Every structure is written in structure tokens, then in C-alpha cells.
């Protein structure tokens, strides 16, 4: 069964510092991979996704993630944190098979200090 | 383009009562999803519709939860009777085709069962 592990339920960074949110998955075949962001009292918004092709994926708001098959990882990064990045971030996976569901990690709350 | 609409935004009920949530997906989106997000956890798929047919309801507690998507457009999710552990945010999402397409989420309905 698919599973997703997000290391660190809370991450705190200073404004302008590097943001690194970790995601590891378990899958017998390389899956599709997603990062979503959730602001308070709002639904989830897609940041970026990896399906095939280039393993470094660029998303909205300056975020990017790299798919590393050998490490079964899909970590999210942003070179310089902004106060508006404070939110909860979810990693999700889905196998490349029609009809299988999206499986989310437990989420990481990002706090940005001024 | 209008987003995914959900109502109500908040609902408080007592255990053993019934409750219903409504979702109107983005126009033209064939696939509709209902997720349950318990505090501190990632969203968990309850049911997935493709047009008005059910694709996956393996994690729907069918003894108390039901969902329908009449005419392949809007959808309702019902809980009857509610239990304390049903307290959660219920998210509706839609996508053009299947899960590999970007899922657009509504703001959710926060249910509190007392």
C-alpha cells in the first residue's frame, strides 16, 4: 500500500532563509507526486506535481521539488522564505494506475519568523 | 472561473444526529472527490465519482456515510447517525478527468460533533 512520510510536523524558519520540507514515499513503482499548500480556513491548493520527465519540478510562489527515485523522496524547497509562505504543506502520491486514490502525508506546518 | 463551492462552512451537531454537506464542482469537471481531514492529519479520500458513477468508495464507512452525485454535477455527502469521531473538515475537490489532473479543492465544511 502507498504511504507518505513527512518529516517534521512543524518547521520554523526566519524570513529570507531556505525552506526545506521533507517527503518520503513508499511505492513499488515510481508514482505521481504532488505538493499542496493549505492556508487557514481554506482548501488545498496545488503547488507543483511530478508525473514524468524532468525530476526537478518548479511550482508556484518560487517553490520547487526534486524527485529522487533512489531515495524515494520528493522534498520541497524555496531559496528564500517570505512571511506569506506560512501555511500547512502536504505531500501526496498516487501510482501511475487509473482509479487509485491520492494518498496524503500528515502535513508540515511552516512558520516564518520575522 | 468559479471555484469549487461547498456549504455549509461550519456545522455543529450532537452525536446520533444526521448531517448533509453539499458540493458544486468546477463547471465541466468530470471527477469529484470527498475527503475527510481530521485535525493533525492529511486528507483521506472517502469517495470518488467519475461523472455520476462511483470509482472508489473503499474508505467510506458505508454503515453511516452515503454520497450521491446526481446528473454528474453537484454532490451531497450525508452522515447518519454521526459519531464523535466524525468531527473533521470535509473537503470536496474536482478535476477534469482523473486523479492525475490537478484537483481543485473547495474551502471545506468543518463539522463538530458534540
Amino acid at each position: 500500500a502507498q504511504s507518505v512520510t513527512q518529516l517534521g510536523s512543524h518547521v520554523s524558519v526566519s524570513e529570507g532563509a531556505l525552506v526545506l520540507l521533507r517527503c518520503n514515499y513508499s511505492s513499488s513503482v515510481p508514482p505521481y507526486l504532488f505538493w499542496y499548500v493549505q492556508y487557514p480556513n481554506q482548501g488545498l491548493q496545488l503547488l507543483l506535481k511530478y508525473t514524468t520527465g524532468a525530476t526537478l519540478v518548479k511550482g508556484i510562489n518560487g517553490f520547487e521539488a526534486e524527485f529522487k527515485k533512489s531515495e524515494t523522496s520528493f522534498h520541497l524547497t524555496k531559496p528564500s522564505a517570505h512571511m506569506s509562505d506560512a501555511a500547512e504543506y502536504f505531500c501526496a502520491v498516487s501510482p501511475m494506475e487509473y482509479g487509485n486514490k491520492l494518498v496524503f502525508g500528515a502535513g508540515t506546518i511552516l512558520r516564518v519568523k520575522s | 472561473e468559479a471555484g469549487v463551492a461547498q456549504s455549509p462552512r461550519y456545522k455543529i451537531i450532537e452525536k446520533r444526529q444526521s448531517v448533509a454537506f453539499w458540493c458544486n464542482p468546477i463547471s465541466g469537471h468530470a471527477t469529484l472527490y470527498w475527503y475527510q481531514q481530521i485535525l493533525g492529519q492529511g486528507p483521506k479520500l472517502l469517495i470518488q465519482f467519475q461523472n455520476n458513477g462511483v470509482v472508489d468508495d473503499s474508505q467510506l464507512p458505508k454503515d453511516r456515510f452515503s454520497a450521491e452525485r446526481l446528473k454528474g454535477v453537484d454532490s451531497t455527502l450525508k452522515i447518519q447517525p454521526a459519531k464523535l469521531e466524525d468531527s473533521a473538515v470535509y473537503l470536496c475537490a474536482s478535476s477534469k478527468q482523473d486523479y492525475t489532473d490537478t484537483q481543485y479543492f473547495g474551502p471545506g465544511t468543518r463539522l463538530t460533533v458534540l
Side-chain angles (χ1 to χ4, degrees):
Chain A
Q2 297 272 325
S3 68
V4 179
T5 302
Q6 291 185 239
L7 294 176
S9 58
H10 291 78
V11 170
S12 183
V13 300
S14 298
E15 193 172 19
L18 171 71
V19 175
L20 171 60
L21 304 182
R22 300 176 187 274
C23 173
N24 289 87
Y25 65 90
S26 67
S27 175
S28 56
V29 295
Y32 288 2
L33 296 155
F34 307 79
W35 275 99
Y36 281 85
V37 60
Q38 186 175 34
Y39 297 99
N41 298 315
Q42 295 186 27
L44 280 74
Q45 179 184 9
L46 181 69
L47 273 178
L48 49 81
K49 66 179 179 182
Y50 168 79
T51 54
T52 59
T55 57
L56 182 63
V57 181
K58 294 186 183 300
I60 61 172
N61 301 336
F63 284 93
E64 62 181 36
E66 186 172 11
F67 167 56
K68 292 187 176 181
K69 181 180 176 181
S70 61
E71 298 177 9
T72 61
S73 69
F74 191 57
H75 301 332
L76 182 71
T77 60
K78 181 174 181 178
S80 177
H82 192 273
M83 297 297 289
S84 60
D85 295 327
E88 189 162 18
Y89 293 80
F90 293 92
C91 180
V93 302
S94 187
M96 295 183 185
E97 297 172 4
Y98 180 82
N100 284 285
K101 53 184 171 282
L102 208 57
V103 176
F104 284 86
T108 297
I109 294 174
L110 175 66
R111 179 188 171 210
V112 182
K113 300 175 292 185
S114 59
Chain B
E1 178 180 76
V4 177
Q6 289 189 247
S7 67
R9 291 295 312 275
Y10 304 92
K11 190 74 177 179
I12 300 174
I13 63 172
E14 297 196 346
K15 59 184 180 183
R16 290 187 289 275
Q17 286 186 324
S18 63
V19 65
F21 313 126
W22 174 81
C23 172
N24 191 1
I26 293 173
S27 177
H29 280 195
T31 308
L32 184 147
Y33 314 78
W34 282 103
Y35 290 88
Q36 180 191 57
Q37 186 178 16
I38 293 172
L39 186 64
Q41 300 180 20
K44 181 184 78 172
L45 182 70
L46 292 176
I47 189 167
Q48 176 183 344
F49 292 94
Q50 183 80 9
N51 297 308
N52 59 353
V54 175
V55 173
D56 185 345
D57 63 357
S58 58
Q59 297 193 104
L60 187 73
K62 298 180 186 62
D63 58 334
R64 297 183 300 105
F65 286 65
S66 64
E68 60 181 9
R69 190 184 185 195
L70 299 177
K71 301 180 182 178
V73 182
D74 55 356
S75 175
T76 56
L77 176 70
K78 297 179 182 178
I79 307 175
Q80 183 180 7
K83 293 185 176 181
L84 296 176
E85 58 261 36
D86 298 332
S87 293
V89 176
Y90 291 85
L91 295 166
C92 180
S94 70
S95 65
K96 287 184 179 179
Q97 291 296 331
D98 62 26
Y99 66 95
T100 58
D101 292 317
T102 298
Q103 292 188 26
Y104 295 87
F105 284 79
T109 296
R110 182 177 298 277
L111 173 67
T112 301
V113 182
L114 303 175

